[in-house]
Amino acid sequence: MSTFPGDVRFSVLDRSRTREGEDAPQALRDTVRLAQEVEALGYHRFWVSEHHSVPGVAGSAPTVLAAAVAAATTGIRVGTGGVMLPNHQPMVVAEQFGVLEALFPGRIDMGVGRSVGFTDGIRRALGRDKDDADRFGEQLGELLGWFTGDQTAHPQVHARPAEGLRVPPFVLATGEGASIAAAAGLPLVIGDLRGRDRLLAAVETYRSGFRPSSWSAEPYVVIAGTVAVAETEAEARRLLMPEAWSLAHSRTRGVFPPLVAPEAIEELPMTEKQRGFYESGLSGHLYGTEEQVAGALEGAVKETGAQEVLVTTSTYDRAALSESYRRLARAVGLTPRARRSLPA
């Protein structure tokens, strides 16, 4: 079994995917339960995401969901992967994370990204425009200023209780965002593991341009991607089928649907175009037995020099998903965490 350096961390991002025949409230409750499971397994962080008007994703309000996760856990760090800053006013984001940090001190992470709603209708509903993403660097600076008290966009205005608190910020990025993270002196979360050349180029851009800040003295890289572990390689690949089909469906029909069982996918007639997207959705991820995945992850960490791996796996069978995380924890040598009593 491969072993990792003790300072490499492993964390989980859950997108609160819905399953066929399951409603959104159930998906959110299952996200909270999954957080409890991965906490016990020894994972470092548990993050939740932001999606709007997506039929297959229940997670639309990540700071609210993070509060529920933090309340149901005791030791794991909790945060967002991420809040899409162009969708929000930076002051409101600061206030929300300030409240989280005040309630759960020392356990909250603030992951932010630069995406906006992916359709014109969603952007109009959010009161945003596609061009708002171009202001991400400016918004990020304002957001951090609400915590330090140094923001100048709104004189004599204060974000309470955020001002004076330290909530670790992370930038979720593809290529361009790596430069923004470097200039701001913040940790970088980047994926996915399938586009290795592009990933390595972005990491190099980040490290070469990094400017130490009061938030981070040196570069910190989190690589993100899908990882599936099972007893056999074939079973692990099968775990990827529901998400791959959902992606193919969205690319050809414009709707990102709930996950369906692999057995149902095997019976589906697919057009040539759908088949192409489906096969592409299955390729390049890290999957296999514990030994195979440990070796592949060891290689990815060595190539990128990453200090942390953020796993984002989704599948139809929740029991199989939990088992995948158990196997992964064993494969990379995580130490189970003793559960403390929740506050009264």
Side-chain angles (χ1 to χ4, degrees), residues 28-326:
L28 294 172
R29 290 190 293 268
D30 284 333
T31 288
V32 175
R33 277 192 284 270
L34 180 62
Q36 294 173 321
E37 291 176 13
V38 301
E39 175 179 52
L41 291 170
Y43 287 90
H44 183 61
R45 312 179 201 275
F46 187 89
W47 283 4
V48 295
S49 62
E50 175 182 339
H51 296 274
H52 298 285
S53 192
V54 180
V57 182
S60 58
T63 54
V64 177
L65 184 53
V69 169
T73 54
T74 60
I76 195 169
R77 296 195 64 86
V78 176
T80 56
V83 167
M84 296 299 115
L85 195 51
N87 289 338
H88 309 279
Q89 290 294 340
M91 179 183 178
V92 174
V93 175
E95 289 173 334
Q96 291 172 347
F97 279 97
V99 169
L100 285 169
E101 177 64 19
L103 293 174
F104 308 101
R107 292 181 57 210
I108 301 300
D109 300 321
M110 182 173 64
V112 296
R114 66 186 296 268
S115 296
V116 292
F118 69 95
T119 69
D120 290 339
I122 295 171
R123 288 190 289 270
R124 283 195 298 270
L126 292 169
R128 293 294 181 264
D129 186 83
K130 186 182 293 187
D131 294 339
D132 285 324
D134 297 333
R135 297 180 52 244
F136 177 66
E138 173 190 339
Q139 293 171 318
L140 180 62
E142 181 185 333
L143 173 63
L144 299 178
W146 289 114
F147 286 91
T148 61
D150 297 330
Q151 70 82 26
T152 58
H154 306 280
Q156 300 182 332
V157 181
H158 302 270
R160 307 194 192 281
E163 189 171 309
L165 295 180
R166 298 286 292 184
V167 181
F170 295 76
V171 173
L172 280 67
T174 51
E176 183 177 345
S179 298
I180 295 173
L186 300 181
L188 174 71
V189 183
I190 188 160
D192 62 34
L193 293 170
R194 293 187 295 175
R196 197 63 58 88
D197 290 343
R198 185 171 56 186
L199 174 65
L200 292 172
V203 169
E204 175 57 30
T205 295
Y206 167 69
R207 287 207 175 96
S208 63
F210 185 85
R211 300 176 185 173
S213 71
S214 62
W215 297 99
S216 186
E218 57 188 28
Y220 188 91
V221 174
V222 183
I223 53 174
T226 296
V227 180
V229 193
E231 185 173 355
T232 68
E233 183 177 354
E235 290 175 1
R237 186 178 187 274
R238 195 171 178 81
L239 296 180
L240 303 176
M241 291 172 58
E243 189 74 38
W245 167 245
S246 189
L247 176 65
H249 188 283
S250 71
R251 292 286 179 86
T252 54
R253 300 184 186 178
V255 177
F256 203 81
L259 301 175
V260 298
E263 297 79 17
I265 295 169
E266 289 170 336
E267 301 298 322
L268 288 171
M270 295 188 195
T271 66
E272 184 177 347
K273 189 174 183 179
Q274 285 175 328
R275 177 65 64 179
F277 282 125
Y278 173 68
E279 294 297 338
S280 176
L282 288 171
S283 67
H285 298 297
L286 301 188
Y287 67 90
T289 64
E290 292 175 35
E291 292 79 5
Q292 289 172 321
V293 168
L297 280 172
E298 195 170 28
V301 168
K302 184 178 294 185
E303 274 190 284
T304 60
Q307 287 97 331
E308 188 168 341
V309 179
L310 181 67
V311 181
T312 61
T313 311
S314 297
T315 193
Y316 176 81
D317 186 334
R318 290 194 181 276
L321 178 63
S322 296
E323 178 64 18
S324 179
Y325 281 124
R326 279 193 291 273

